[in-house]
Protein backbone atom coordinates (compact mmCIF):
# COMPACT_ATOMS: atom_id res chain seq x y z
CA UNK A 1 0.00 0.00 0.00
CA UNK A 2 1.13 3.51 -0.79
CA UNK A 3 0.98 6.01 2.08
CA UNK A 4 1.57 9.75 1.94
CA UNK A 5 1.74 12.25 4.76
CA UNK A 6 -0.23 15.49 4.82
CA UNK A 7 -0.84 18.20 7.39
CA UNK A 8 -3.42 17.40 10.07
CA UNK A 9 -4.41 21.05 10.20
CA UNK A 10 -3.61 23.69 7.64
CA UNK A 11 -4.11 27.45 7.43
CA UNK A 12 -6.92 28.12 4.90
CA UNK A 13 -4.50 30.28 2.85
CA UNK A 14 -2.22 27.28 2.32
CA UNK A 15 -4.96 24.75 1.57
CA UNK A 16 -4.62 23.49 -1.99
CA UNK A 17 -1.00 24.62 -2.28
CA UNK A 18 1.00 22.13 -0.22
CA UNK A 19 3.23 19.58 -1.88
CA UNK A 20 1.19 16.53 -0.98
CA UNK A 21 -1.10 17.76 -3.80
CA UNK A 22 1.66 17.11 -6.39
CA UNK A 23 1.99 13.55 -5.11
CA UNK A 24 -1.78 12.98 -4.97
CA UNK A 25 -2.09 14.30 -8.52
CA UNK A 26 0.60 11.92 -9.86
CA UNK A 27 -1.13 9.03 -8.07
CA UNK A 28 -4.52 9.98 -9.49
CA UNK A 29 -3.12 10.29 -13.04
CA UNK A 30 -1.58 6.82 -12.61
CA UNK A 31 -4.79 5.43 -11.06
CA UNK A 32 -2.90 4.19 -8.00
CA UNK A 33 -4.74 4.00 -4.70
CA UNK A 34 -3.17 5.36 -1.54
CA UNK A 35 -3.75 6.17 2.10
CA UNK A 36 -3.18 9.58 3.63
CA UNK A 37 -1.57 9.85 7.06
CA UNK A 38 -2.41 13.23 8.61
CA UNK A 39 0.36 14.45 10.90
CA UNK A 40 0.38 17.24 13.47
CA UNK A 41 3.25 19.69 13.98
CA UNK A 42 4.25 17.68 17.08
CA UNK A 43 4.20 14.37 15.20
CA UNK A 44 6.41 15.83 12.47
CA UNK A 45 9.08 16.50 15.11
CA UNK A 46 9.04 12.90 16.40
CA UNK A 47 12.00 10.59 15.82
CA UNK A 48 9.83 8.18 13.84
CA UNK A 49 8.72 10.93 11.44
CA UNK A 50 12.25 12.34 11.09
CA UNK A 51 13.38 8.89 10.00
CA UNK A 52 10.91 9.20 7.12
CA UNK A 53 11.56 12.88 6.43
CA UNK A 54 14.82 14.38 7.78
CA UNK A 55 13.43 17.92 7.45
CA UNK A 56 10.13 17.14 9.25
CA UNK A 57 8.22 18.29 6.20
CA UNK A 58 5.23 17.22 4.14
CA UNK A 59 5.06 15.01 2.11
CA UNK A 60 6.69 11.77 3.20
CA UNK A 61 5.84 8.74 1.06
CA UNK A 62 5.99 5.01 1.60
CA UNK A 63 5.45 2.36 -1.06
CA UNK A 64 5.56 -1.21 0.27
CA UNK A 65 8.32 -0.45 2.77
CA UNK A 66 10.33 1.86 0.47
CA UNK A 67 10.46 5.43 1.79
CA UNK A 68 10.83 8.68 -0.11
CA UNK A 69 10.82 12.35 0.77
CA UNK A 70 10.95 15.40 -1.59
CA UNK A 71 7.92 15.77 -3.83
CA UNK A 72 10.06 15.79 -7.00
CA UNK A 73 11.64 12.43 -6.14
CA UNK A 74 8.25 11.02 -5.20
CA UNK A 75 6.58 12.17 -8.42
CA UNK A 76 9.49 10.70 -10.41
CA UNK A 77 9.10 7.39 -8.57
CA UNK A 78 5.37 7.30 -9.33
CA UNK A 79 6.03 8.29 -12.96
CA UNK A 80 8.48 5.43 -13.37
CA UNK A 81 5.68 2.97 -12.65
CA UNK A 82 3.92 3.67 -15.96
CA UNK A 83 4.33 5.32 -19.36
CA UNK A 84 1.49 7.74 -18.61
CA UNK A 85 3.68 10.29 -16.86
CA UNK A 86 7.14 9.35 -18.15
CA UNK A 87 7.44 8.12 -21.74
CA UNK A 88 9.79 5.25 -22.56
CA UNK A 89 11.19 6.73 -25.79
CA UNK A 90 14.67 8.13 -25.02
CA UNK A 91 14.34 11.75 -26.13
CA UNK A 92 10.83 12.18 -24.73
CA UNK A 93 11.96 10.65 -21.42
CA UNK A 94 15.03 12.90 -21.29
CA UNK A 95 12.86 15.94 -22.03
CA UNK A 96 10.35 15.08 -19.28
CA UNK A 97 13.14 14.56 -16.74
CA UNK A 98 14.80 17.83 -17.78
CA UNK A 99 11.53 19.73 -17.39
CA UNK A 100 10.91 18.13 -14.00
CA UNK A 101 14.19 19.56 -12.75
CA UNK A 102 13.50 22.87 -14.51
CA UNK A 103 10.19 23.14 -12.65
CA UNK A 104 11.84 22.61 -9.27
CA UNK A 105 15.25 24.21 -9.80
CA UNK A 106 14.75 26.98 -12.36
CA UNK A 107 11.13 28.09 -12.11
CA UNK A 108 10.24 27.35 -8.48
CA UNK A 109 13.04 29.49 -6.94
CA UNK A 110 11.91 32.61 -8.83
CA UNK A 111 8.27 31.85 -7.97
CA UNK A 112 9.18 31.43 -4.29
CA UNK A 113 11.12 34.71 -4.23
CA UNK A 114 8.19 36.47 -5.88
CA UNK A 115 5.69 34.96 -3.41
CA UNK A 116 7.81 36.10 -0.48
CA UNK A 117 7.91 39.78 -1.48
CA UNK A 118 4.40 39.91 -2.98
CA UNK A 119 2.33 37.87 -0.52
CA UNK A 120 4.20 36.73 2.59
CA UNK A 121 6.17 39.75 3.82
CA UNK A 122 5.27 42.64 1.49
CA UNK A 123 5.60 45.28 4.21
CA UNK A 124 9.09 44.40 5.40
CA UNK A 125 11.70 46.99 4.46
CA UNK A 126 13.97 44.34 2.91
CA UNK A 127 11.05 43.00 0.84
CA UNK A 128 10.29 46.47 -0.55
CA UNK A 129 13.95 46.79 -1.57
CA UNK A 130 14.01 43.29 -3.05
CA UNK A 131 10.67 43.45 -4.88
CA UNK A 132 11.75 44.99 -8.21
CA UNK A 133 14.65 42.54 -8.55
CA UNK A 134 12.48 39.55 -7.66
CA UNK A 135 9.82 40.57 -10.20
CA UNK A 136 12.43 41.12 -12.91
CA UNK A 137 14.03 37.70 -12.29
CA UNK A 138 10.64 35.98 -12.33
CA UNK A 139 9.56 37.85 -15.47
CA UNK A 140 12.72 36.79 -17.29
CA UNK A 141 12.31 33.07 -16.55
CA UNK A 142 8.54 33.04 -16.97
CA UNK A 143 8.77 34.80 -20.35
CA UNK A 144 11.16 32.08 -21.51
CA UNK A 145 8.72 29.46 -20.27
CA UNK A 146 5.83 31.26 -22.00
CA UNK A 147 7.82 31.20 -25.27
CA UNK A 148 8.27 27.46 -24.91
CA UNK A 149 4.54 26.96 -24.22
CA UNK A 150 3.44 29.06 -27.20
CA UNK A 151 1.51 26.65 -29.49
CA UNK A 152 2.08 23.74 -27.10
CA UNK A 153 -0.45 22.09 -24.82
CA UNK A 154 2.10 20.66 -22.43
CA UNK A 155 5.84 20.98 -21.74
CA UNK A 156 6.59 17.90 -23.82
CA UNK A 157 4.35 16.31 -26.50
CA UNK A 158 2.02 14.60 -24.04
CA UNK A 159 0.99 15.45 -20.49
CA UNK A 160 3.71 14.23 -18.12
CA UNK A 161 5.11 14.32 -14.59
CA UNK A 162 6.86 17.57 -15.53
CA UNK A 163 3.49 19.30 -16.02
CA UNK A 164 2.47 18.29 -12.48
CA UNK A 165 5.56 19.85 -10.91
CA UNK A 166 5.45 22.92 -13.16
CA UNK A 167 1.75 23.59 -12.56
CA UNK A 168 2.10 23.14 -8.81
CA UNK A 169 4.84 25.77 -8.79
CA UNK A 170 3.11 28.24 -11.15
CA UNK A 171 -0.17 28.12 -9.16
CA UNK A 172 1.67 29.93 -6.39
CA UNK A 173 1.92 33.08 -8.53
CA UNK A 174 -1.72 33.71 -7.59
CA UNK A 175 -3.79 36.39 -9.28
CA UNK A 176 -0.74 38.65 -9.76
CA UNK A 177 -0.06 40.99 -12.69
CA UNK A 178 3.07 38.96 -13.33
CA UNK A 179 0.95 35.85 -13.99
CA UNK A 180 -1.86 37.59 -15.86
CA UNK A 181 0.58 39.26 -18.27
CA UNK A 182 1.68 35.87 -19.62
CA UNK A 183 -1.46 34.37 -21.24
CA UNK A 184 0.44 31.30 -22.51
CA UNK A 185 1.19 30.41 -18.88
CA UNK A 186 -2.30 31.24 -17.63
CA UNK A 187 -3.97 28.96 -20.20
CA UNK A 188 -1.38 26.22 -19.58
CA UNK A 189 -2.09 26.22 -15.83
CA UNK A 190 -5.85 26.26 -16.47
CA UNK A 191 -5.51 23.33 -18.92
CA UNK A 192 -3.55 21.28 -16.40
CA UNK A 193 -5.86 22.16 -13.50
CA UNK A 194 -8.87 21.08 -15.60
CA UNK A 195 -7.61 17.50 -15.71
CA UNK A 196 -9.89 15.09 -13.80
CA UNK A 197 -6.90 13.71 -11.88
CA UNK A 198 -6.02 17.18 -10.57
CA UNK A 199 -9.62 17.73 -9.52
CA UNK A 200 -9.70 14.38 -7.68
CA UNK A 201 -6.35 15.07 -5.99
CA UNK A 202 -7.53 18.49 -4.86
CA UNK A 203 -10.86 17.12 -3.58
CA UNK A 204 -9.07 14.47 -1.48
CA UNK A 205 -6.60 17.06 -0.15
CA UNK A 206 -9.37 19.54 0.75
CA UNK A 207 -11.48 16.81 2.37
CA UNK A 208 -8.92 16.67 5.18
CA UNK A 209 -9.70 20.27 6.16
CA UNK A 210 -13.48 20.49 5.80
N1 LIG B 1 11.41 20.51 -1.32
C1 LIG B 1 10.35 19.91 -0.54
C2 LIG B 1 9.58 21.02 0.13
C3 LIG B 1 8.56 20.46 1.08
C4 LIG B 1 7.85 21.57 1.80
O1 LIG B 1 8.17 22.78 1.67
N2 LIG B 1 6.85 21.17 2.58
C5 LIG B 1 6.10 22.14 3.33
C6 LIG B 1 4.62 21.96 3.00
S1 LIG B 1 4.30 22.22 1.30
C7 LIG B 1 6.30 21.87 4.79
O2 LIG B 1 6.30 20.75 5.23
N3 LIG B 1 6.43 22.96 5.56
C8 LIG B 1 6.62 22.87 6.98
C9 LIG B 1 8.06 22.96 7.36
O3 LIG B 1 8.91 23.21 6.49
O4 LIG B 1 8.34 22.75 8.53
C10 LIG B 1 9.42 19.08 -1.44
O5 LIG B 1 9.25 19.45 -2.61
O6 LIG B 1 8.88 18.06 -0.97
Amino acid sequence: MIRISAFKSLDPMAQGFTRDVSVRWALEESELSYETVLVSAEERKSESYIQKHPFSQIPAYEDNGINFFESGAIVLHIAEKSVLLLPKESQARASVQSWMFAAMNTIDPVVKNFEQVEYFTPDEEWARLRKAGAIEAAQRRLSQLANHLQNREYLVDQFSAADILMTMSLRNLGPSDLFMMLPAIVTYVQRCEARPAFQKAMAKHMASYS
Side-chain angles (χ1 to χ4, degrees), residues 5 39-61 67-69:
S5 68
V39 287
S40 65
E42 274 311 303
E43 286 162 336
R44 283 192 292 118
K45 288 184 208 144
S46 69
E47 262 315 302
S48 62
Y49 192 80
I50 289 171
Q51 275 182 15
K52 294 186 177 117
H53 198 311
F55 304 114
S56 291
Q57 290 182 311
I58 295 296
Y61 173 99
N67 291 287
F68 284 86
F69 61 95

Side-chain angles (χ1 to χ4, degrees), residues 7 17-20 44 53 55-59 69-72 104:
F7 289 111
F17 292 92
T18 50
R19 301 235 170 156
D20 56 294
R44 283 192 292 118
H53 198 311
F55 304 114
S56 291
Q57 290 182 311
I58 295 296
F69 61 95
E70 283 294 331
S71 58
M104 305 215 75

Side-chain angles (χ1 to χ4, degrees), residues 148-149 152-160 163 188 191-192 195:
H148 176 79
L149 287 169
R152 277 192 176 88
E153 287 204 327
Y154 300 115
L155 292 168
V156 179
D157 291 344
Q158 64 178 65
F159 180 83
S160 72
D163 296 300
Y188 165 73
R191 182 179 306 121
C192 292
R195 293 179 69 83

Side-chain angles (χ1 to χ4, degrees), residues 21 45 60 86 88 104 123 136 144 150 165 185 190 208:
V21 178
K45 288 184 208 144
L86 186 60
K88 291 271 181 265
M104 305 215 75
D123 299 328
E136 194 190 315
Q144 291 168 317
Q150 209 72 49
L165 299 179
I185 294 191
Q190 288 170 345
S208 301

